[in-house]
Amino acid sequence: MAMHCDRLKILKVVDGEKVSQTDFVIRETEVVIRIDGKLHRRLTCLAEHLEELALGYLFDEGIVSPDDVDIEVDCQTISVSRKRKTQIRKPAVIGSDLNVISSQILAWADELNTSCPLHIKTGGTHIVGIVHGDVMFFVEDISRHCAIDKAIGIALRNGYEMSDCIIVTSCRQTISAMKKEIMAGFPIVVS
């Protein structure tokens, strides 16, 4: 966590008065995704889970299947080599028998609020969790889209089928976030 935030001197206005103090501020990084040597995208994010970021991004954008790529990370450059030059397509309908009850949603919200050290320390991150059976994990990032991509990438690395998962987020559900979650195949989104 220490590598993702800095303690800085800030000027805060409290009741109209300027107060000098120190505070923790998130450190962001610009990363580049290259596909087959060509620049594909620049993203601003936290410099962790970069391989999973690329995997989730490529999957939920419908660019590649997780088995069709090799990913290498060198500093802030993510190099993706496609084994095949095909795009994946997702069905418009997500088939799933998953159900949730309100007590589960409230428990996930409590877990989300207490399992995110950077957000607690800085207030500067979005949190995304994936629920798969009894397993739940969280990812934090300054970007809601990167947090979603990273969580999906981690789930894919663990062999999870998204139609068997629920995504839980601290962030507002924009059209672009919902498109990612639908393309990934989540039957339930909790925000």
Side-chain angles (χ1 to χ4, degrees):
M1 176 172 61
M3 66 184 271
H4 299 301
C5 63
D6 297 310
R7 188 175 198 116
L8 300 175
K9 188 174 182 178
I10 66 167
L11 187 62
K12 189 174 183 177
V13 178
V14 180
D15 296 327
E17 298 294 321
K18 296 177 187 175
V19 178
S20 181
Q21 64 184 55
T22 59
D23 199 2
F24 288 99
V25 178
I26 289 285
R27 184 184 311 143
E28 61 188 43
T29 301
E30 183 179 78
V31 298
V32 172
I33 298 177
R34 292 188 170 280
I35 300 177
D36 299 326
K38 295 180 182 174
L39 176 65
H40 177 75
R41 186 84 194 260
R42 292 181 187 276
L43 300 167
T44 303
C45 62
L46 293 180
E48 67 179 11
H49 302 295
L50 296 181
E51 186 174 324
E52 291 83 359
L53 167 66
L55 183 61
Y57 169 80
L58 295 169
F59 179 72
D60 66 40
E61 293 291 324
I63 297 170
V64 295
S65 172
D67 298 330
D68 291 341
V69 292
D70 290 318
I71 300 172
E72 290 184 22
V73 177
D74 183 20
C75 296
Q76 282 78 36
T77 300
I78 306 166
S79 298
V80 178
S81 299
R82 290 190 281 192
K83 298 174 187 173
R84 292 185 275 177
K85 306 278 192 226
T86 59
Q87 272 195 304
I88 60 169
R89 298 285 177 218
K90 288 292 188 180
V93 177
I94 299 168
S96 177
D97 294 328
L98 283 179
N99 290 302
V100 297
I101 57 174
S102 60
S103 62
Q104 289 173 303
I105 293 171
L106 295 173
W108 297 332
D110 286 343
E111 187 73 23
L112 184 123
N113 288 328
T114 59
S115 298
C116 306
L118 274 174
H119 184 75
I120 291 167
K121 192 170 193 171
T122 67
T125 61
H126 296 284
I127 305 108
V128 175
I130 303 283
V131 179
H132 182 260
D134 293 334
V135 175
M136 184 174 199
F137 67 86
F138 295 98
V139 178
E140 295 181 86
D141 203 282
I142 59 165
S143 158
R144 76 173 49 93
H145 294 100
C146 290
I148 291 167
D149 293 337
K150 287 177 179 183
I152 290 169
I154 291 168
L156 290 169
R157 285 278 185 236
N158 283 295
Y160 298 169
E161 178 61 42
M162 297 310 128
S163 63
D164 295 330
C165 296
I166 297 165
I167 190 164
V168 181
T169 74
S170 67
C171 47
R172 181 173 65 87
Q173 290 301 302
T174 62
I175 290 172
S176 55
M178 286 301 300
K179 284 180 180 177
K180 286 179 167 295
E181 293 153 353
I182 290 167
M183 279 295 288
F186 289 102
I188 299 173
V189 176
V190 176
S191 178

